[in-house]
Amino acid sequence: MPLVQAFVFAAIGGVFGVGVTVAGRVLTGREAWSLEPVVTVGYIFALLGWLLGIGVWDQWAREWLGLPVEHRQHRGWARYFAFTTDHKVVGVQYLVTFVALFLLAGLLAMLIRIELMAPGMTFMGLGTYNQVMSLHGIVMVAVAVATIIGGLGNYTVPLLIGAEDVAFPRLNALSYWLVPPVAILLIGTFFTGGLDTGWTAYPPLSDVNAAGQVLFNLAVITFGLSSILGGLNFLVTIATLRAPGMGWGRLPIFVWSIFAASLISLTATQFLAAGLMMILFDRLLGMAFFRASAGGDPLLYQHVFWFYSHPAVYIMILPGFGLALEVLSHFSRKPLFGYRLVPGGFIAIVVLSFVVWAHHLFTSGMSDALHGPFMVTTELISIPTGLVFLSALGTLWLGRLWLTTPMLFGLAFVFNFLIGGLTGIYLADVPTDIHLQDTHFVVAHFHYTIVGGEIFALFAGIYYWFPKMTGRMFSERWGKVHFWWMFLAYHTTFIPMFWAGIHGMNRRVGDYPAELGDVNLFISVAAFVMGGSFVVFTANVVWSWVRGPRAVANPWRAHTLEWQVASPPPIENFPATPVVVGSPYAYGVPGAVHAVLTTAPAHTPAASGGAQAEPAGPALAADSA
Amino acid sequence: MKELQSRLRLGWFVFVALVVLTVAEYYVVTTSPPGAITIAMLLVFQFADAGLIIWYFMHVSQLWRAHDAPQQRTT
Amino acid sequence: MPGWTHKTDETVQHMSDFVLPLPKHETAVAVHGAAVHEHAPASSLSRNRVGLWWFILSECFLFLAFISARYYLLGLERPAELNQALGLGLSLLLLVSSLTAYRAELGAQHGDRRRLLRNTATTILLGLVFLMGVGYEWSEALVHFPPSEAFGTVFFSLTGLHAFHVLSGVVLLALVYWNARRGRYDSGSIWGVEASVKYWHFVDVAWVFIYPTLYLVR
């Protein structure tokens, strides 16, 4: 019962932390109880207790003291609720958690749209609206950062590179188990005065508002730690655990995209943590980072924050690029066009993403001299992004498109992201941005890139790897219903937002001028229809996971390594280390082989379900010409 | 043992260099007039200090010599 | 079963038979049984090293954020009340501790337990003296530039952040000492020593940049 143990340890830690703080305050002659410092120190110790209890003590920390560690591996259902080191289990943990959070935060979006159906405050008060809007924002940002990398990345990257697991399996489990405390803290904001600064937490408001802000900051710092450790693990895994023959020039493009995104999450995330820590220092220790009256400057926060948060949109979208290209190549039955250029594009995006942050500050009052340079660097990013687009279109060109559900989502990615990218130009250009800043035009733009881009790619990936992860086939018919429903409702929802934004519809505010009532009613109805599409998705996935027909090892006849083992793969992934001899995308090339797998004699099929294994003997990842 | 002696000696050399650099840094910055040249010298001192520690004490070159490096333990 | 329609393998096979004119390098990659570009997955030691270095790089960005805050809020301005002698002394102290940490690692590598123990203990001691120095410095700083004004804010947050790292380094070295006393580095992996010592050097490198940022720049 690791979960019970974790809660008990967390409670002990929390009580200890609270006790230490209260005792310290009394000893230094202050009032015994003050919510914010008590909560902060209590949480830090509760978090330590939680981690030790869930398995860090049993499986890891004992080693540091020279004690024997337990290598207890749970079986069956229990392993999903324990400190499990198998990357496939961690991937499923991430994926299920964050898809659930995605649906919950989607419900919050529905609440927002109910309020915005008519001008005036009709459904909830302005304060409640701020809380709902802030929580929708931060949860969706967490979903966008962690679902593809933590979920699909964890599950597939070791398989795609022919490894047995990630480089640091225990660190991987730790990154996942840092997430539940984040969720608990975010729920806790409701009971400590709420959270009303949006996901960006700008001071001066965040320096002075209710104690919910402290919980939010602690939650996001914890989540950042999880994201940093996760990124570190991917970087080391990809750099050191590739199968023999899997050179950098043969990596599947999804792996490349995860590598690039991990570079950002490893480094830039520290700036988010730093910014939020500065707010905590201001509030708890009376420091003056953002208090202009004492020599601080609130604009400093915006610089620090966006130094993380602009690169962070590439943490979100780069794996989306990788996933879309991966799916497009497999389902066009063609080699990926410009394979050698795309990783260069990814790395160029990573580098450029660090020098564009101030385009979020064009109307903030920062020095005018910074406008020009940041406009130019921002627009430079369209060059490597264009390279990725070229690769997508070149792959589709003259391909034999196999229009399965994942392929439809992959194609929609290309279409949606084009709109998202083009509307971004108006926000990068100073003259137009000064008009559009903080309107629904911005809302529509980033929903086009993140929902239309990343979330559509995420669904492509979920459908693409669903047979591999569950050993079951999903319903292709209902998958297509989900796709068309979501695709059409999505555009009906977000296209009018551009119009509303140009006509002065502010973002983040629960009320608006009466003349924008009609367009908002239209958007709301469309949004509800879009929300309905996820019922189809959830029903299809849950039903198929339980009752769907068994999946064969390689239903898509793809070349990459994960499809050459049973569905779901056995715990050790490959019976023997595969040897990579060629490109992963050599579709239509007679006799082309990606990898050679040998079946070890002692190998028994997967323990995790009676999946159909690949027939015995050497399995060649090839088109039999 | 000969190797151990030479590496112990190397440690002392690096240490002395670090101390000299740090004291020189202090001296130069506090005596020279404020301005771009002082800042530039300060940067040179900082990166020289950091570089010595990273190269000789943290053995950064292990990263790209990882494959042909000898065993961790040398006895 | 209606609803579960999937293309049969024959259909897919037919699709993939569509051979496209490929650029030369694409076909060249796909040579059957060509000489494998050999590289074996790395050993666990070099995996750990790579991981530690990535971690150190990540930490650099945390310090970088606070260092940039100093320049953003104050430019090159610094108060005259800074205790310059103490600042220089603390820097030299950390340099000495880096030397002893280096010698501790050498001891572990050469199976010399006494050298390892002696130098680890010295390093821990120097770390504790450093922390006491920071404490003394804080008591002075509280008078001249309290944390409620701009220079105090950057001074206390930067030194505090660094002191926290020193403290965690001391804890790591204490673990090393505990394990070394029990002879756990006499045979087998000494990764624990190597990692703690590298972390300690990193804390020193961080100070190499923090010291001029707070005391010298003008």
Side-chain angles (χ1 to χ4, degrees), chain A residues 162-516:
Chain A
E164 194 184 325
D165 208 319
V166 291
F168 306 116
R170 293 183 294 198
L171 196 66
N172 204 20
L174 177 68
S175 326
Y176 172 74
W177 285 107
L178 279 167
V179 172
V182 177
I184 292 171
L185 278 182
L186 287 179
I187 294 166
T189 57
F190 277 113
F191 305 102
T192 46
L195 167 70
D196 50 5
T197 49
W199 83 276
T200 53
Y202 275 8
L205 178 57
S206 57
D207 251 14
V208 294
N209 58 354
Q213 190 67 47
V214 171
L215 271 70
F216 169 89
N217 285 22
L218 293 171
V220 176
I221 291 173
T222 313
F223 183 69
L225 180 61
S226 159
S227 179
I228 290 169
L229 297 178
L232 188 151
N233 217 337
F234 278 117
L235 289 173
V236 182
T237 305
I238 297 168
T240 61
L241 289 185
R242 286 166 288 127
M246 180 68 89
W248 290 95
R250 283 175 185 163
L251 277 183
I253 207 70
F254 179 61
V255 179
W256 262 112
S257 71
I258 293 279
F259 186 82
S262 297
L263 279 174
I264 302 177
S265 61
L266 178 87
T267 53
T269 311
Q270 294 281 12
F271 267 69
L272 178 66
L276 295 171
M277 268 156 74
M278 289 174 190
I279 291 178
L280 286 179
F281 289 166
D282 272 14
R283 295 181 69 119
L284 302 174
L285 307 173
M287 288 192 178
F289 279 109
F290 309 129
R291 282 191 294 123
S293 59
D297 188 349
L299 257 189
L300 167 64
Y301 179 81
Q302 296 191 25
H303 283 290
V304 173
F305 177 81
W306 286 110
F307 189 82
Y308 161 74
S309 293
H310 196 79
V313 305
Y314 295 100
I315 303 179
M316 303 173 192
I317 201 63
L318 279 171
F321 285 157
L323 251 177
L325 292 181
E326 188 83 28
V327 165
L328 289 180
S329 173
H330 294 310
F331 291 97
S332 302
R333 313 308 296 174
K334 265 188 64 185
L336 187 68
F337 181 77
Y339 170 82
R340 269 139 216 273
L341 290 179
V342 178
F346 288 165
I347 299 300
I349 289 177
V350 169
V351 173
L352 282 173
S353 77
F354 282 96
V355 290
V356 300
W357 77 89
H359 67 226
H360 293 266
L361 280 73
F362 284 153
T363 62
S364 69
M366 71 170 180
S367 160
D368 283 352
L370 294 175
H371 286 185
F374 279 101
M375 181 172 95
V376 171
T377 51
T378 305
E379 299 203 338
L380 279 179
I381 284 207
S382 56
I383 296 171
T385 313
L387 214 67
V388 175
F389 254 86
L390 189 67
S391 167
L393 297 180
T395 307
L396 291 171
W397 184 258
L398 288 179
R400 273 290 181 92
L401 307 194
W402 183 14
L403 294 176
T404 57
T405 309
M407 181 60 164
L408 287 173
F409 277 100
L411 288 170
F413 171 93
V414 178
F415 181 77
N416 299 341
F417 197 82
L418 180 66
I419 299 177
L422 289 180
T423 53
I425 296 173
Y426 299 96
L427 300 174
D429 280 352
V430 181
T432 39
D433 180 67
I434 285 175
H435 177 66
L436 295 170
Q437 166 84 26
D438 252 345
T439 67
H440 265 54
F441 190 92
V442 182
V443 178
H445 160 70
F446 73 70
H447 280 82
Y448 258 98
T449 52
I450 303 302
V451 183
E454 194 207 355
I455 299 297
F456 271 77
L458 168 70
F459 280 117
I462 289 178
Y463 282 114
Y464 178 55
W465 280 309
F466 185 84
K468 184 51 61 185
M469 293 191 282
T470 62
R472 307 265 185 174
M473 284 315 288
F474 58 89
S475 159
E476 189 64 38
R477 174 181 296 171
W478 285 105
K480 281 178 177 153
V481 169
H482 169 215
F483 169 75
W484 286 109
W485 188 338
M486 180 176 161
F487 180 74
L488 296 174
Y490 165 77
H491 285 282
T492 321
T493 308
F494 287 100
I495 288 275
M497 275 194 200
F498 288 118
W499 190 89
I502 294 172
H503 288 82
M505 175 77 190
N506 276 316
R507 66 186 284 208
R508 293 204 177 100
V509 184
D511 195 4
Y512 53 87
E515 64 265 27
L516 292 170

Side-chain angles (χ1 to χ4, degrees), chain B residues 9-52:
Chain B
R9 211 163 38 240
L10 177 71
W12 276 108
F13 284 143
V14 175
F15 169 70
V16 169
L18 287 170
V19 170
V20 168
L21 277 171
T22 307
V23 174
E25 174 185 53
Y26 173 79
Y27 180 76
V28 165
V29 173
T30 45
T31 54
S32 69
I37 297 172
T38 314
I39 300 290
M41 282 163 74
L42 201 56
L43 281 172
V44 171
F45 281 123
Q46 285 179 54
F47 279 98
D49 258 357
L52 282 175

Side-chain angles (χ1 to χ4, degrees), chain A residues 64-66 167-168 228 232 235-236 240-246 263 266-267 270-271 274 277-278 286-289 294-295 297 299-300 303 334-336 340 398 402 473-477 543-544 549 557 579 581-583 588-589 592-593 623, chain C residues 3-7 9 12-16 18-20 22 25-27 29-32 36-39 41-42 47-48 50-51 54-55 57-59 61-62 64-66 69 72-73 147-150 153-154 156-157 161 175 178-179 184:
Chain A
W64 306 334
L65 298 174
F168 306 116
I228 290 169
L232 188 151
L235 289 173
V236 182
T240 61
L241 289 185
R242 286 166 288 127
M246 180 68 89
L263 279 174
L266 178 87
T267 53
Q270 294 281 12
F271 267 69
M277 268 156 74
M278 289 174 190
M287 288 192 178
F289 279 109
D297 188 349
L299 257 189
L300 167 64
H303 283 290
K334 265 188 64 185
L336 187 68
R340 269 139 216 273
L398 288 179
W402 183 14
M473 284 315 288
F474 58 89
S475 159
E476 189 64 38
R477 174 181 296 171
W543 175 262
S544 305
R557 297 196 55 83
V579 177
V581 292
S583 157
V589 183
V593 175
D623 287 321
Chain C
W4 307 107
T5 46
H6 276 280
K7 300 219 165 157
D9 282 351
V12 186
Q13 191 54 53
H14 174 72
M15 291 173 158
S16 59
F18 182 70
V19 179
L20 290 146
L22 290 166
H25 71 266
E26 296 276 10
T27 36
V29 176
V31 178
H32 202 17
V36 174
H37 167 68
E38 272 304 342
H39 83 87
R47 216 153 64 212
N48 286 341
V50 175
W54 281 124
F55 175 75
L57 178 73
S58 177
E59 288 268 276
F61 275 74
L62 181 64
L64 189 65
F66 279 86
Y72 188 89
L73 291 179
S148 56
E149 55 188 60
T153 296
V154 291
F156 278 92
S157 56
L161 192 69
L175 282 174
W178 161 280
N179 285 317
R184 292 196 180 108

